[in-house]
């Protein structure tokens, strides 16, 4: 897949600390790309460099095959973590103002805004001042402002913070819909569950370094530890007898239901089929699944330096 | 350029629609005119009813010569002081004049039943002084004294003319008093605008920084465009406000003046303007003070007013641009208005200094100090504006303007550098040394 954005060996130092140290990453067109990392890792600095708000000390950013140019920012939509709207300004006028800064004509902007306001069911907010809105409401407006000019690259910094589950879901669906229409989405967050749901690629930044990059599925599988979980019906002793010599059994869990589960460790992928066959002879196997670490586990392990 | 114009549009629209802008724009001219009309109004309303005063004159000299007027009515009484004070409660008061008042002028007492007024007391004092002086003069036995005094009495009025090339021989007389006053008022207006509108730019930058609006805007436009857009947007507001004030003052003044002033006074003011008459002749004809007439003639001279407004706008815009660039830089480098105080000081000092010099200009518009402070860019807008009404050579004004606008360009360039770094610095308040360092950053 062709990359819409490439960050090559970017470093940025501030007076007291280094925000980014030789960070490289490639963002494939049409993907939802998660930019992960603990607070203060350098995510926001990287995003600002991509937005041309700050310049890197060394390294370069390629957008659509060429070095990032000032006019490219019109093809980028940015939703900052700390939302920025003029509090005293009316919602409609404000949205128009930002849309026109992104190069839309007044006429086009008005039309598209009306459409989005209808879609989100917020037409009645047009004449309200921003400080009359709740935080979540203001965020909806900010989201519309970000995507209105239909940019090819969207950057969302913690987009779900402050949303209730219903609105967070609405937002998630809109983001996925934007991707389906061809936009590329960069998603900066430290909320891992949202990563598993929407991202297909990630980069993990910690202490100004890129410590992990790739497809979400690949990463999770490569971090698998050949741990499996069996759900079965039958005698535990029969299971143990069948497993002996083939794999290492771990603690089982006692359940009220007629099915019991137990975890086991298989030495290599090649032996998995044999284990399943042997167990199935001894007991009634209901399920046999690999225990894939969650992104949350990977995140914590990676940050704590065990990778 | 189109980005700047969008930002200018937003700044302008948001500010002009604010209630505070509308109120101050309407209220200021009204206040100004009220201030001008105040003396006449006060005189009109304080002219109370006539007060009747009983006079006990032990000397016998004063009472017959006291003249009753609109303010006080005197009547001699035969009662003793105690009786008069007890019984004549329907009178305003009792005036007692001692028997030796000629040699001891302090021996005069007024017993008032109500609070007395300064004007009344002065009236009585003056009358007694006049009587006693006349009485003393009589002792010199000069013949025809009244006639001599009347002949000797002289009042001098002086007219001042400006001697520059543009003026012909029938040079129009200028009232220095009016020029000085107008100059001071213009310097004051400049001072107010620099401080108020400069601070407005600063606060607006701080607000955007706190709202994090900056981050959204800077991802669409260059920081320089944003800063210039803001500065120019607020400048438009300032210009609109000042033009509205001029229109309102001239408009209301034009409507009200003819009603306040008798027609013959206005006619003679116009005659003085056109040079047909000189002020003293015209004043004598209209029966008013020549200085007043001169002032009126100057103030109603359209060419003079237009010239002042044009210079005012040029210096206002130049001075504002220079200072607002500095205010924007300060605003960008702090998180809140409190932190701005210290960084603001070096900006406000020249403005205040200019204002102080402008006050001294009233005495001598061509002193060395006035000249230099009106040429040096930081103080020049305020001081030059105070000097212009007094009539100064054109080259001085133009030199001052060129320097002012040149320093604005340099200042914007420096301010933009600070601004670019400052807007993303949160947390700690920078020192001057750090600001200097930011200027050297390349973006």
């Amino acid at each position: 897949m062709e990359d819409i954005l490439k960050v090559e060996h970017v470093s940025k130092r501030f007076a007291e600390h280094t925000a980014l140290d030789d960070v490289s990453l490639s963002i494939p067109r049409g993907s939802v790309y998660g930019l992960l990392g603990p607070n203060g890792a350098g995510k926001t600095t990287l995003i600002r460099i991509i937005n041309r708000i700050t310049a890197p000390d060394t390294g370069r950013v390629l957008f659509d095959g060429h070095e990032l140019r000032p006019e490219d920012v019109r093809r980028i939509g940015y939703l900052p973590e700390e939302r920025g709207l003029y509090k005293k300004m009316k919602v409609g006028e404000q949205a128009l103002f930002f849309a026109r800064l992104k190069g839309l004509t007044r006429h086009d902007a008005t039309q598209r805004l009306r459409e989005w306001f209808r879609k989100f069911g917020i037409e009645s907010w047009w004449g309200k001042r921003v400080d009359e809105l709740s935080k979540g409401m203001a965020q909806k407006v900010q989201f519309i402002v970000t995507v209105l000019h239909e940019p090819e690259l969207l950057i969302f910094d913690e987009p779900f913070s402050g949303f209730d589950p219903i609105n967070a879901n609405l937002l998630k669906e809109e983001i996925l819909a934007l991707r389906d229409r061809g936009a590329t989405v960069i998603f900066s967050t430290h909320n891992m569950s949202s990563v598993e749901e929407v991202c297909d690629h990630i980069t993990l930044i910690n202490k100004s370094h890129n410590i992990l990059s790739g497809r979400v599925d690949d990463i999770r599988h490569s971090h698998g530890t050949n741990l499996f979980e069996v759900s079965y019906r039958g005698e535990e002793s029969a299971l143990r007898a069948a497993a002996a010599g083939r794999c290492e059994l771990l603690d089982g869990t006692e359940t009220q239901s007629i099915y019991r589960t137990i975890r086991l460790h298989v030495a290599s992928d090649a032996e998995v089929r044999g284990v399943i066959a042997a167990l199935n002879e001894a007991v009634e196997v209901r399920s046999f699944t690999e225990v894939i670490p969650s992104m949350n586990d990977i995140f914590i392990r990676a940050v704590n330096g065990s990778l | 350029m189109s980005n700047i114009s969008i930002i200018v549009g937003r700044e302008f629209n948001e500010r002009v629609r604010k209630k505070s802008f509308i109120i101050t724009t309407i209220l200021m001219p009204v206040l100004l005119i009220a201030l001008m009309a105040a003396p006449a109004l006060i005189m009109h309303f304080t002219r109370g009813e006539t007060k009747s005063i009983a006079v006990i004159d032990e000397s016998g000299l004063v009472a017959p010569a006291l003249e009753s007027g609109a303010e006080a009515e005197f009547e001699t009484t035969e009662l003793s002081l105690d009786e008069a004070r007890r019984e004549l409660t329907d009178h305003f008061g009792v005036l007692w004049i001692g028997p030796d008042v000629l040699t001891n002028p302090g021996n005069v007492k007024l017993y008032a039943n109500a609070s007395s007024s300064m004007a009344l007391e002065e009236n009585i004092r003056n009358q007694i002084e006049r009587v006693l002086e006349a009485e003393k003069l009589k002792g010199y036995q000069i013949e025809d004294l009244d006639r001599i005094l009347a002949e000797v009495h002289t009042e001098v009025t002086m007219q001042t003319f400006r001697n520059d090339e543009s003026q012909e021989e029938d040079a129009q007389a200028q009232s220095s008093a009016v020029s000085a006053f107008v100059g001071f008022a213009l310097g004051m207006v400049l001072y107010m605008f620099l401080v108020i509108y400069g601070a407005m730019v600063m606060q607006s930058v701080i607000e955007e920084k706190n709202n994090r609006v900056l981050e959204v805007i800077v991802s669409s436009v260059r920081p320089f465009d944003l800063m210039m857009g803001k500065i120019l947007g607020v400048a438009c507001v300032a210009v609109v406000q000042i033009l509205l004030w001029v229109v309102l003052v001239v408009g209301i003044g034009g409507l009200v003046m003819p009603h306040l002033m008798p027609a013959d006074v206005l006619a003679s003011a116009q005659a003085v303007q056109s040079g047909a008459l000189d002020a003293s002749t015209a004043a004598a004809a209209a029966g008013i003070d020549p200085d007043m007439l001169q002032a009126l003639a100057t103030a109603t001279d359209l060419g003079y007013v237009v010239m002042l407004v044009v210079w005012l706008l040029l210096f206002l815009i130049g001075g504002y641009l220079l200072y607002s660039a500095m205010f924007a830089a300060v605003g960008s480098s702090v998180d809140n208005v409190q932190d701005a105080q210290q960084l603001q000081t070096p900006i406000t000092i020249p403005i205040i200094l200019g204002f102080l010099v402008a006050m001294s200009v009233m005495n001598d518009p061509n002193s060395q100090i006035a000249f230099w402070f009106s040429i040096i860019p930081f103080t020049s807008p305020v001081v030059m504006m105070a000097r212009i009404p007094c009539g100064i050579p054109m080259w001085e004004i133009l030199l001052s303007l060129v320097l002012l606008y040149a320093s604005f360009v340099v200042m914007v360039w420096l301010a933009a550098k600070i601004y670019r770094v400052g807007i993303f610095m949160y947390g700690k308040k920078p020192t001057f040394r750090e600001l200097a360092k930011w200027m050297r950053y390349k973006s």
Side-chain angles (χ1 to χ4, degrees):
Chain A
M1 212 180 333
E2 168 211 8
D3 293 329
I4 188 168
L5 190 85
K6 269 173 115 73
V7 174
E8 292 180 346
H9 307 290
V10 162
S11 297
K12 177 80 183 175
R13 260 170 291 279
F14 293 112
E16 309 93 52
H17 75 292
T18 303
L20 293 171
D21 188 7
D22 194 25
V23 169
S24 299
L25 50 92
S26 314
I27 297 174
R29 190 183 290 278
S31 63
V32 177
Y33 199 100
L35 199 55
L36 318 177
N39 299 328
K43 291 180 307 225
T44 303
T45 305
L46 181 59
I47 288 175
R48 282 183 179 164
I49 288 173
I50 295 172
N51 271 314
R52 287 186 60 88
I53 293 174
T54 44
D57 294 338
T58 56
R60 57 180 195 157
V61 179
L62 297 178
F63 180 77
D64 208 5
H66 57 260
E67 198 141 348
L68 195 61
R69 294 189 294 243
E71 56 270 27
D72 290 332
V73 294
R74 294 204 161 168
R75 297 163 69 187
I76 301 176
Y78 173 39
L79 181 80
E81 177 178 8
E82 296 191 63
R83 312 297 186 244
L85 292 173
Y86 290 104
K87 292 198 173 62
K88 304 272 177 218
M89 218 175 160
K90 292 198 172 133
V91 171
E93 283 174 19
Q94 175 141 236
L96 260 179
F97 168 69
F98 284 117
R100 290 177 63 211
L101 283 185
K102 288 287 189 185
L104 291 182
T105 63
R106 184 182 282 276
H107 176 259
D108 282 0
T110 314
Q111 220 163 23
R112 290 191 200 179
L113 277 173
R114 295 277 179 205
E115 233 165 80
W116 274 101
F117 274 49
R118 206 174 308 124
K119 192 189 271 183
F120 278 10
I122 57 172
E123 294 109 311
S124 60
W125 296 0
W126 190 273
K128 278 193 183 175
R129 281 184 3 180
V130 170
D131 55 7
E132 294 173 55
L133 304 182
S134 72
K135 193 179 171 217
M137 290 158 95
Q139 252 161 273
K140 268 190 187 173
V141 176
Q142 186 109 45
F143 177 80
I144 293 174
V145 167
T146 309
V147 302
L148 193 73
H149 60 295
E150 293 175 0
E152 293 157 62
L153 180 63
L154 285 160
I155 303 173
F156 297 114
D157 202 346
E158 295 291 355
F160 300 126
S161 72
F163 274 115
D164 61 59
I166 294 172
N167 278 310
N169 210 42
L170 177 76
L171 204 64
K172 196 165 72 191
E173 270 160 26
E174 286 302 332
I175 291 173
L176 292 176
L178 286 166
R179 181 201 54 187
D180 294 343
R181 269 179 267 152
T184 309
V185 180
I186 299 178
F187 214 133
S188 164
T189 186
H190 47 248
N191 175 0
M192 290 305 136
S193 62
S194 63
V195 172
E196 269 159 73
E197 283 168 48
V198 296
C199 294
D200 33 46
H201 290 70
I202 61 131
T203 277
L204 181 53
I205 294 179
N206 188 35
K207 291 183 183 148
S208 66
H209 289 272
N210 175 0
I211 56 172
L212 185 64
S213 264
R215 293 177 57 84
V216 171
D217 290 346
D218 295 348
I219 290 175
R220 287 182 63 190
H221 282 103
S222 68
H223 285 81
T225 44
N226 288 344
L227 195 65
F228 296 86
E229 193 169 79
V230 192
S231 174
Y232 66 96
R233 188 177 182 177
E235 290 304 316
E236 192 181 334
S237 52
L239 180 104
R240 284 195 178 278
R246 290 180 184 275
C247 61
E248 177 194 349
L249 280 174
L250 303 169
D251 292 341
T253 46
E254 288 301 322
T255 56
Q256 301 291 322
S257 90
I258 50 171
Y259 293 106
R260 296 179 216 215
T261 57
I262 192 164
R263 288 192 166 195
L264 49 87
H265 192 262
V266 183
S268 73
D269 282 353
E271 292 170 40
V272 171
R273 283 184 73 181
V275 172
I276 294 174
L279 293 185
N280 204 24
E281 287 296 310
V283 294
E284 183 190 336
V285 173
R286 182 166 159 252
S287 70
F288 188 91
T289 43
E290 186 176 8
V291 180
I292 301 172
S294 67
M295 281 311 295
N296 203 32
D297 296 336
I298 296 172
F299 178 78
I300 291 168
R301 283 199 347 235
V303 169
N304 287 338
S306 61
L307 271 181
Chain B
M1 199 58 213
S2 75
N3 273 341
I4 294 189
S5 66
I6 295 170
I7 291 165
V8 168
R10 193 203 82 85
E11 289 290 336
F12 182 77
N13 284 327
E14 282 300 299
R15 283 169 204 289
V16 167
R17 277 185 287 174
K18 268 190 190 159
K19 282 197 200 77
S20 56
F21 175 81
I22 296 170
I23 291 170
T24 46
T25 305
I26 294 173
L27 224 54
M28 272 298 279
V30 172
L31 277 177
L32 205 67
I33 287 170
L35 211 66
M36 292 194 297
L41 288 176
I42 290 170
M43 263 168 31
H44 180 77
F45 285 114
T46 49
R47 198 175 291 154
E49 61 206 55
T50 314
K51 299 182 170 79
S52 61
I53 295 171
V55 182
I56 301 166
D57 186 0
E58 308 253 339
S59 69
L61 285 171
V62 181
L66 283 177
E67 286 169 12
S68 298
E71 203 161 20
E73 197 174 331
F74 301 100
E75 57 181 84
T76 354
T77 173
E78 297 304 322
L79 298 169
S80 76
L81 181 59
D82 284 346
E83 286 166 347
R85 284 180 68 187
R86 224 179 12 253
E87 288 165 26
L88 299 177
T89 46
D90 55 332
H91 285 58
F92 170 77
V94 179
L95 178 66
W96 182 83
I97 296 161
D100 57 345
V101 71
L102 201 57
T103 48
N104 180 13
N107 204 6
V108 176
K109 296 186 175 80
L110 176 68
Y111 301 91
N113 289 321
S115 65
S116 118
S117 75
M118 270 179 35
L120 177 71
E121 286 170 19
E122 189 165 325
N123 178 351
I124 296 173
R125 234 178 11 249
N126 284 345
Q127 290 214 40
I128 298 174
E129 276 168 13
R130 187 174 46 77
V131 170
L132 295 181
E133 279 169 12
E135 196 61 35
K136 284 178 183 168
L137 275 174
K138 263 187 210 161
Y140 292 93
Q141 306 278 342
I142 305 169
E143 270 178 64
D144 276 347
L145 185 69
D146 291 347
R147 192 181 51 80
I148 295 171
L149 278 179
E151 278 178 15
V152 165
H153 179 79
T154 318
E155 240 173 64
V156 175
T157 58
M158 189 173 72
Q159 289 167 267
T160 318
F161 294 87
R162 211 165 35 187
N163 252 340
D164 53 12
E165 316 85 52
S166 65
Q167 302 279 338
E168 298 297 312
E169 236 171 77
D170 58 336
Q172 173 187 328
Q174 285 282 318
S175 159
S176 314
V178 173
S179 300
F181 176 75
V182 170
F184 180 71
L186 291 177
M188 181 95 164
V189 167
L190 246 288
Y191 169 78
M192 268 172 38
F193 264 76
L194 293 188
V195 172
I196 293 175
Y197 279 87
M200 206 184 270
V201 169
M202 185 183 78
Q203 267 166 15
S204 166
V205 172
I206 295 177
E207 189 198 331
E208 278 180 3
K209 195 175 167 183
N210 281 338
N211 277 352
R212 303 298 204 267
V213 178
L214 267 171
E215 198 145 336
V216 182
I217 297 182
V218 172
S219 69
S220 319
V221 304
R222 293 187 305 156
F224 179 80
D225 292 357
L226 177 60
M227 190 182 90
M228 273 320 287
K230 181 173 296 294
I231 288 176
L232 294 178
V234 176
C236 291
V237 179
V239 169
V240 164
Q241 184 160 54
I242 221 128
L243 286 179
L244 280 176
W245 281 355
V246 169
V247 168
L248 282 174
V249 168
V250 170
I252 299 176
L255 285 177
V256 174
M257 277 286 209
H259 297 290
L260 286 180
M261 299 286 170
D264 55 337
V265 174
L266 271 187
S268 28
Q270 272 153 14
V272 172
Q273 256 172 48
S274 61
L277 285 173
D278 70 40
S280 50
T281 329
I288 57 162
D289 181 27
D291 283 340
M292 262 297 287
L293 188 63
Q294 191 73 67
L296 192 64
T298 312
T300 52
D301 179 355
L302 197 64
Y304 179 72
V305 172
V306 168
M307 181 222 27
L308 283 185
V309 169
V310 169
W311 288 130
L312 177 67
L313 283 178
L314 283 174
F315 277 98
L316 181 78
I317 294 171
Y320 160 81
L321 290 176
L322 176 65
Y323 276 100
S324 62
M326 294 192 278
F327 274 115
V330 168
S332 73
S333 48
V334 297
D335 289 351
N336 52 56
V337 180
Q338 287 81 5
D339 285 354
Q341 296 290 353
Q342 187 204 341
L343 293 176
Q344 235 178 305
T345 317
I347 304 179
T348 43
I349 284 175
I351 307 186
I352 294 169
L353 195 64
F355 186 62
L356 294 178
V357 173
M359 288 202 279
S360 79
V361 164
M362 286 179 83
N363 293 327
D364 183 3
N366 288 310
S367 66
Q368 285 284 315
I369 190 169
F371 172 78
W372 285 109
F373 275 86
S374 65
I375 297 294
I376 298 167
F378 291 89
T379 52
S380 68
V382 175
V383 180
M384 188 52 98
M385 222 42 237
R387 288 182 71 202
I388 285 178
C390 308
I392 57 165
M394 183 63 85
W395 70 266
E396 287 186 21
I397 305 181
L398 292 180
L399 174 65
S400 172
L401 268 181
V402 167
L403 286 177
L404 182 63
Y405 280 84
S407 54
F408 152 67
V409 172
V410 174
M411 190 51 72
V412 161
W413 181 72
L414 286 175
K417 283 176 168 276
I418 295 180
Y419 184 85
R420 217 195 133 76
V421 181
I423 49 179
F424 291 110
M425 292 287 176
Y426 293 101
K428 75 180 170 77
K429 192 170 74 174
T431 60
F432 288 110
R433 183 184 302 191
E434 273 168 303
L435 289 186
K437 206 166 73 187
W438 293 356
M439 284 184 202
R440 293 196 296 271
Y441 276 173
K442 57 179 197 309
S443 51

